Amino acid sequence: MVHRMRKSGLVLIGALSLAAGVVAAEVAVEAVPAEQLQLYAPIAAQLIQQQFPNPPVKVDVDTTKAQGYHIKEKVGMFLLPDKAVTADALKTAGDKGVPIGILVTKDLSVQEKDAPAPPTRIAIADLNGQVKLPVFYVTVKAKGDDRFAEVFSKDEKPLATIPLKKIEAAGDTLVNLKLQNVDEEKKQLDAVLTLAGGHEFTLRMGTIEP
């Protein structure tokens, strides 16, 4: 079982970069193929659940709706959305929050002011030291009419609190991830999450070595 998980975990990392061999030099961001996401997202979800049984945000992930992107084989990000994310749920969000999903990265952490949160402050799913995946839990809370996202990782203190921006609702996707504004010199990028009901927020991410 351990051998199978180790092999699967290594292939999971490979899934983030497999398509990069055919990416033209001017293309910075490439989607992970859907068939690879469907194969390896359940493995990632199982690994995270086993190693972090009491996370700061309880997320019931829907691995069939996983999304993922990579950049030139160097860094990448998965989104494992919660099964219960709906526009109505976001409208009724309160102090306890509505779980949005889990972000699983390859060598990326949430940017705090001038630097990304270090490995000592984030949850890192570790498979025998060979595969290390930083893990972040996302929820939406409300204060009056205002909505804001909170991003957690290792403990119950959020790494980031970000006001939601109202946008025109786009399609039926409950949660959508995209990576943009890649700065290779500063080793930073933006992860933009669009939510059901017409909201979005942006996480600035920086490169780390878990």
Side-chain angles (χ1 to χ4, degrees):
M1 176 66 177
V2 172
H3 176 74
R4 186 176 67 84
M5 286 293 291
R6 183 188 298 117
K7 182 178 179 181
S8 299
L10 291 171
V11 177
L12 176 64
I13 289 296
L16 283 168
S17 57
L18 184 63
V22 295
V23 177
E26 66 272 13
V27 178
V29 179
E30 185 77 5
V32 176
E35 62 272 17
Q36 294 182 28
L37 287 172
Q38 295 308 307
L39 185 59
Y40 299 114
I43 297 171
Q46 181 183 10
L47 182 66
I48 291 166
Q49 185 178 26
Q50 289 174 346
Q51 296 197 1
F52 309 113
N54 298 298
V57 176
K58 292 286 188 181
V59 180
D60 185 12
V61 299
D62 185 349
T63 58
T64 67
K65 293 185 173 65
Q67 302 168 40
Y69 299 89
H70 69 85
I71 300 169
K72 296 182 179 179
E73 302 185 34
K74 298 177 182 178
V75 296
M77 181 179 289
F78 283 115
L79 166 65
L80 304 175
D82 189 272
K83 292 179 179 178
V85 179
T86 64
D88 288 340
L90 293 174
K91 286 180 182 179
T92 59
D95 292 339
K96 292 184 178 180
V98 175
I100 297 302
I102 297 175
L103 294 174
V104 187
T105 80
K106 180 181 184 294
D107 299 341
L108 289 171
S109 181
V110 174
Q111 191 80 5
E112 294 183 305
K113 295 183 179 179
D114 298 327
T120 54
R121 296 193 55 217
I122 61 178
I124 299 177
D126 189 323
L127 185 59
N128 295 334
Q130 298 183 42
V131 178
K132 295 186 178 182
L133 303 172
V135 177
F136 303 92
Y137 303 87
V138 184
T139 186
V140 166
K141 296 184 178 181
K143 188 174 184 180
D145 293 332
D146 297 327
R147 299 290 184 274
F148 56 93
E150 287 191 336
V151 182
F152 299 82
S153 188
K154 196 172 186 177
D155 53 43
E156 295 184 357
K157 181 180 179 180
L159 296 173
T161 300
I162 307 165
L164 266 59
K165 181 173 70 173
K166 186 68 176 176
I167 62 170
E168 287 190 21
D172 297 326
T173 303
L174 300 180
V175 187
N176 187 64
L177 169 70
K178 61 182 178 181
L179 304 184
Q180 61 186 35
N181 298 329
V182 179
D183 189 326
E184 292 185 291
E185 182 177 350
K186 293 183 178 180
K187 298 182 179 180
Q188 296 177 357
L189 58 84
D190 287 338
V192 181
L193 281 89
T194 304
L195 308 178
H199 290 88
E200 76 173 22
F201 65 96
T202 300
L203 272 176
R204 191 62 175 166
M205 308 293 293
T207 302
I208 60 169
E209 295 183 5

